[in-house]
């Protein structure tokens, strides 16, 4: 359910930003989105490593 709400919120923000002619508050390409995913995964990896010690 959280995934659906996150996508819905993103769609609403995208429509609002487009309607008032603002640039997107996120990278406009798949490469940029994958960079954000990488940052998140790196954060999770660090937390897992710290949790081991």
């Amino acid at each position: 359910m959280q995934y659906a709400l996150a996508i819905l919120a993103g769609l609403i923000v995208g429509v609002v930003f487009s309607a008032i002619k603002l640039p997107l508050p996120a990278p406009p390409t798949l490469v940029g989105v994958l960079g954000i995913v990488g940052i998140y995964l790196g954060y999770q990896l660090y937390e897992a490593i710290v949790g081991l010690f």
Side-chain angles (χ1 to χ4, degrees):
M1 185 65 170
Q2 287 179 338
Y3 298 115
L5 290 175
I7 290 173
L8 179 62
L11 287 171
I12 291 170
V13 168
V15 168
V16 169
F17 272 62
S18 179
I20 57 177
K21 308 285 191 260
L22 289 174
L24 290 176
T29 65
L30 181 57
V31 174
V33 172
L34 291 176
I36 292 173
V37 170
I39 292 169
Y40 173 76
L41 292 175
Y43 178 85
Q44 293 299 318
L45 180 62
Y46 175 80
E47 292 293 320
I49 291 171
V50 168
L52 291 175
F53 298 104

